[in-house]
Amino acid sequence: MPEPVIYLLRSIPLGTMDRADFLFLPIWLISIFGAICGYYYTASYGISYLFKQKHHKKAVPYVVLASCIIAYLPQQKEKLELISTISNRSAYFFS
Protein backbone atom coordinates (compact mmCIF):
# COMPACT_ATOMS: atom_id res chain seq x y z
CA MET A 1 0.00 0.00 0.00
CA PRO A 2 1.87 3.11 -1.18
CA GLU A 3 -0.20 5.85 0.51
CA PRO A 4 -1.97 4.42 3.57
CA VAL A 5 -3.22 7.81 4.81
CA ILE A 6 -5.04 8.52 1.54
CA TYR A 7 -6.64 5.06 1.59
CA LEU A 8 -7.73 5.65 5.18
CA LEU A 9 -9.23 9.04 4.29
CA ARG A 10 -11.17 7.51 1.41
CA SER A 11 -13.01 5.23 3.81
CA ILE A 12 -14.38 8.07 5.99
CA PRO A 13 -17.96 8.99 4.99
CA LEU A 14 -18.72 12.73 4.97
CA GLY A 15 -22.33 12.78 3.85
CA THR A 16 -22.62 14.85 0.68
CA MET A 17 -18.98 14.40 -0.22
CA ASP A 18 -18.06 10.85 -1.15
CA ARG A 19 -14.32 11.05 -0.76
CA ALA A 20 -12.53 12.87 2.06
CA ASP A 21 -9.14 12.68 0.39
CA PHE A 22 -10.12 15.57 -1.89
CA LEU A 23 -10.09 17.81 1.19
CA PHE A 24 -6.57 16.87 2.25
CA LEU A 25 -4.97 16.55 -1.18
CA PRO A 26 -4.38 20.32 -1.65
CA ILE A 27 -2.73 20.56 1.78
CA TRP A 28 -0.48 17.63 0.93
CA LEU A 29 0.41 19.11 -2.47
CA ILE A 30 1.32 22.48 -0.96
CA SER A 31 3.61 20.84 1.59
CA ILE A 32 5.30 18.71 -1.09
CA PHE A 33 5.72 21.76 -3.35
CA GLY A 34 7.32 23.71 -0.50
CA ALA A 35 9.73 20.90 0.26
CA ILE A 36 10.76 20.50 -3.39
CA CYS A 37 11.30 24.26 -3.74
CA GLY A 38 13.51 24.22 -0.67
CA TYR A 39 15.57 21.35 -2.04
CA TYR A 40 15.99 23.08 -5.41
CA TYR A 41 17.01 26.33 -3.73
CA THR A 42 19.54 24.59 -1.52
CA ALA A 43 21.02 22.61 -4.41
CA SER A 44 21.26 25.64 -6.71
CA TYR A 45 22.79 27.74 -3.92
CA GLY A 46 25.34 24.99 -3.25
CA ILE A 47 26.25 24.67 -6.91
CA SER A 48 26.65 28.42 -7.25
CA TYR A 49 28.90 28.37 -4.16
CA LEU A 50 31.00 25.55 -5.61
CA PHE A 51 31.52 27.39 -8.90
CA LYS A 52 31.99 30.74 -7.13
CA GLN A 53 29.02 32.44 -8.79
CA LYS A 54 27.40 35.50 -7.24
CA HIS A 55 23.80 34.50 -8.02
CA HIS A 56 22.21 31.11 -7.71
CA LYS A 57 19.63 31.81 -10.43
CA LYS A 58 21.94 30.53 -13.16
CA ALA A 59 22.23 27.14 -11.47
CA VAL A 60 18.48 26.48 -11.10
CA PRO A 61 17.85 25.13 -14.64
CA TYR A 62 20.79 22.74 -14.30
CA VAL A 63 19.55 21.48 -10.95
CA VAL A 64 16.04 20.90 -12.30
CA LEU A 65 17.37 19.19 -15.43
CA ALA A 66 19.68 16.96 -13.38
CA SER A 67 16.89 15.99 -10.99
CA CYS A 68 14.55 15.13 -13.88
CA ILE A 69 17.21 12.99 -15.55
CA ILE A 70 17.99 11.22 -12.28
CA ALA A 71 14.27 10.61 -11.70
CA TYR A 72 13.92 8.83 -15.05
CA LEU A 73 17.06 6.69 -14.68
CA PRO A 74 16.05 3.96 -12.24
CA GLN A 75 13.67 1.61 -14.01
CA GLN A 76 14.66 -1.38 -11.88
CA LYS A 77 15.14 -1.85 -8.16
CA GLU A 78 18.86 -2.61 -8.53
CA LYS A 79 19.49 0.69 -10.33
CA LEU A 80 17.56 2.57 -7.67
CA GLU A 81 19.68 0.99 -4.94
CA LEU A 82 22.85 1.88 -6.88
CA ILE A 83 21.80 5.53 -7.16
CA SER A 84 20.92 5.54 -3.46
CA THR A 85 24.35 4.16 -2.57
CA ILE A 86 26.10 6.73 -4.76
CA SER A 87 24.13 9.61 -3.27
CA ASN A 88 24.79 8.41 0.29
CA ARG A 89 28.53 8.16 -0.33
CA SER A 90 28.66 11.52 -2.08
CA ALA A 91 26.96 13.10 0.94
CA TYR A 92 30.04 12.24 2.99
CA PHE A 93 32.25 13.89 0.38
CA PHE A 94 30.26 17.14 0.18
CA SER A 95 29.51 17.56 3.88
Side-chain angles (χ1 to χ4, degrees):
M1 185 179 307
E3 290 92 10
V5 175
I6 293 177
Y7 286 112
L8 181 66
L9 290 174
R10 285 183 183 172
S11 66
I12 299 172
L14 289 178
T16 59
M17 204 169 164
D18 289 335
R19 295 176 55 182
D21 59 335
F22 288 136
L23 294 174
F24 297 101
L25 199 58
I27 297 169
W28 179 76
L29 286 174
I30 290 170
S31 65
I32 294 298
F33 181 75
I36 289 174
C37 287
Y39 293 142
Y40 281 159
Y41 173 76
T42 305
S44 64
Y45 187 79
I47 287 176
S48 67
Y49 181 78
L50 282 175
F51 291 116
K52 296 179 177 61
Q53 299 290 320
K54 290 185 179 183
H55 302 289
H56 69 278
K57 291 180 183 180
K58 294 178 182 177
V60 173
Y62 299 112
V63 169
V64 172
L65 181 67
S67 67
C68 288
I69 290 172
I70 290 170
Y72 284 115
L73 283 179
Q75 298 294 325
Q76 298 163 345
K77 187 175 181 179
E78 294 82 20
K79 289 184 180 180
L80 182 64
E81 290 174 357
L82 176 67
I83 291 174
S84 175
T85 304
I86 291 171
S87 68
N88 287 339
R89 290 182 182 163
S90 67
Y92 292 121
F93 177 72
F94 288 112
S95 62

